[in-house]
Every structure is written in structure tokens, then in C-alpha cells.
Amino acid sequence: MRKISLLILLLLISYKALAQNTKVIDSIHTDTVRNIRFNYKQLIIPGILIGYGFWGIESGQIKSFNFQIRDEITENIDTKVTIDDFTRYMPAVSVYALNAFDVKGKNNMRDRSVILATSTMLTVGAVFGLKSITNVERPDRTSNDSFPSGHTAIAFAGAEFLYQEYKDKSIWYGVAGYAIATGTGIFRMYNNRHWLTDVAAGAGIGILCTKAAYWMNPYLTRKLFGKKEANSTSFISPSYDGESFAITYIKTF
């Protein structure tokens, strides 16, 4: 019963995040780059998730709840599954897959790649920085870098990216992305690699970093490419394997 309640809670959080985003009005940059305006209300959901994660580091009651959830989820597990190593990338990759099938998103290839690269760098930087500071032991006791969950952060960053790019087409793209991200977080707990608080904080960090990437994009676009569209195609592809982070930049003339 607790497993079902946990899944419903995480999906509800994802739904609320999507519902909150629908109230945000898009603006169009003079260089045809479309971005979301900053609104303090956009900080509520990620702020609650990150705050809950940090609270759990010190709160004995939440720590006890972490153990209860861990015991419920990992009960009678014979083998681990590695699907979360792939699902963390699925929401972000879906943006490019949909475009390849001629389902156009909000931004062109160049601009969305800059946004994704910015989001990934912010997310990875925040995750690794907090891991080195907090030193929380993983549930399986293999290391002291449990908080926050990097897999979950990348998955939710991609889910927010997918939602922002395709919400004008259909909100269900975002719903699917957030469902996959939620599943990634659950599998991290199922594999006994993270606590619930790790997953909650990772989700909040991922959402917030993608929002920040959209807020920063007009400035970054002007700095990287100038005000005029060039007759070339640029592609930035970030990647993160859980241990290292890399960015591939391709430009054709």
C-alpha cells in the first residue's frame, strides 16, 4: 500500500508542476528564440522538493520515513534492474526524436541545444557540488554520495525540457516526460541506490535548472551567436554517464 501511495505522491507532484507551468506566459525574443518569463511562482514546486530533501538530512523523523520506504520498496528483491540508466535520458532525447519525425517544438535545433546544454551543466554542477558537501551514505552503504540523486535530476531536467518545448502542441508530451522521470526516481530507490529525500531533491534541482536555462537563454544566445541568425547549423549535445560530463559541439556552414 505504501508503494502505491508513494507512486501516487510523486505523480501528483509532477502533475502540479505541469499545471503550474501552464500559467506561465511565453515571450518571443527578437531573434526568434522563445523563452519562459521568470515568475517567482515557478520556484514553488522545485523549492518544496529541494527543501524536503535538505530537511531529510537532519530530521530524524524523515530519516525514519526514508528507512520505511526503502524497506517497503526493496522487499523481496532478487535482482536489480538497470533501466534507470537509460530512462534518465529519454525525456530529453524525445525532444530531438519528435523533431526528427517533423513534430516541431518551440525552438529550433540550435536554440534548444543551447538550452539543453545549459540545463545539463547547471544540473550536473549542482548535483556534484551537493554530493561533495553533504556526504550522505547511500542506502546500500557503498559510498557517501547519495544526496541528491543525479539520475533523477537529469531525468526531471529532461522532462521539464520536453514539456517546455512541446506544451503548445499537447500537454501530454510533458505528462509522459514527467511520468518517465518519476519512474526513474522510483527505480533508483528500488535498486537501493537512493533515499526518497535524494530523489525528491534531485527532481527539484532538475526542474529548477531547466527553468533557469530558459531564463538565461536570451543572454546566452546573444553572446554565442550575436543578434542575427547565421546561415549555418549548430548542434550542442551534452552527455552524462553518472561519473563524467561532456559536451559535443558541431557546426556546419
Side-chain angles (χ1 to χ4, degrees):
M1 186 65 183
R2 287 179 179 173
K3 297 178 185 178
I4 297 174
S5 299
L6 175 62
L7 177 59
I8 293 173
L9 174 62
L10 292 174
L11 288 173
L12 181 60
I13 290 173
S14 299
Y15 173 77
K16 286 184 176 180
L18 288 171
Q20 184 188 74
N21 284 335
T22 59
K23 299 178 181 179
V24 179
I25 301 175
D26 290 336
S27 63
I28 301 179
H29 188 255
T30 54
D31 294 337
T32 71
V33 182
R34 302 179 66 190
N35 306 278
I36 57 174
R37 294 175 180 173
F38 173 79
N39 186 320
Y40 74 92
K41 292 182 180 179
Q42 300 171 42
L43 303 177
I44 295 176
I45 295 297
I48 290 174
L49 292 170
I50 296 170
Y52 176 76
F54 273 103
W55 187 20
I57 295 177
E58 301 296 335
S59 171
Q61 184 176 1
I62 295 181
K63 284 182 179 180
S64 177
F65 184 62
N66 272 342
F67 278 99
Q68 292 177 32
I69 293 296
R70 191 275 304 273
D71 292 342
E72 287 286 337
I73 291 179
T74 60
E75 185 180 6
N76 299 322
I77 292 180
D78 296 324
T79 58
K80 293 183 178 181
V81 294
T82 59
I83 191 173
D84 46 312
D85 288 334
F86 303 98
T87 57
R88 57 176 163 169
Y89 298 121
M90 286 179 62
V93 171
S94 296
V95 173
Y96 295 93
L98 286 167
N99 188 74
F101 284 97
D102 206 32
V103 183
K104 302 299 182 183
K106 179 183 295 184
N107 292 297
N108 59 34
M109 176 72 76
R110 185 200 70 182
D111 298 326
R112 79 167 67 98
S113 296
V114 171
I115 291 169
L116 179 58
T118 304
S119 169
T120 304
M121 286 188 287
L122 292 174
T123 301
V124 172
V127 167
F128 275 96
L130 289 173
K131 282 181 180 292
S132 64
I133 294 172
T134 55
N135 293 314
V136 176
E137 186 178 39
R138 290 184 183 271
D140 61 4
R141 297 183 177 182
T142 56
S143 61
N144 293 324
D145 59 352
S146 187
F147 182 89
S149 169
H151 282 63
T152 307
I154 290 294
F156 273 86
E160 178 68 12
F161 176 55
L162 174 62
Y163 172 71
Q164 290 298 335
E165 288 298 312
Y166 284 97
K167 65 179 180 179
D168 294 334
K169 296 287 185 180
S170 172
I171 192 176
W172 292 106
Y173 290 116
V175 170
Y178 268 92
I180 293 171
T182 299
T184 300
I186 292 174
F187 275 115
R188 294 307 286 165
M189 293 187 290
Y190 176 86
N191 288 326
N192 205 27
R193 295 293 288 165
H194 284 289
W195 307 102
L196 174 61
T197 45
D198 302 336
V199 169
I205 290 169
I207 294 170
L208 182 60
C209 287
T210 295
K211 288 182 181 295
Y214 277 92
W215 299 333
M216 296 165 60
N217 195 52
Y219 172 79
L220 292 176
T221 300
R222 287 195 299 269
K223 289 296 182 180
L224 290 172
F225 305 105
K227 293 184 177 181
K228 294 183 179 180
E229 293 280 350
N231 293 323
S232 62
T233 301
S234 301
F235 178 71
I236 300 176
S237 175
S239 61
Y240 168 63
D241 61 7
E243 296 181 354
S244 61
F245 171 71
I247 292 179
T248 302
Y249 176 75
I250 301 174
K251 186 178 182 67
T252 59
F253 299 90

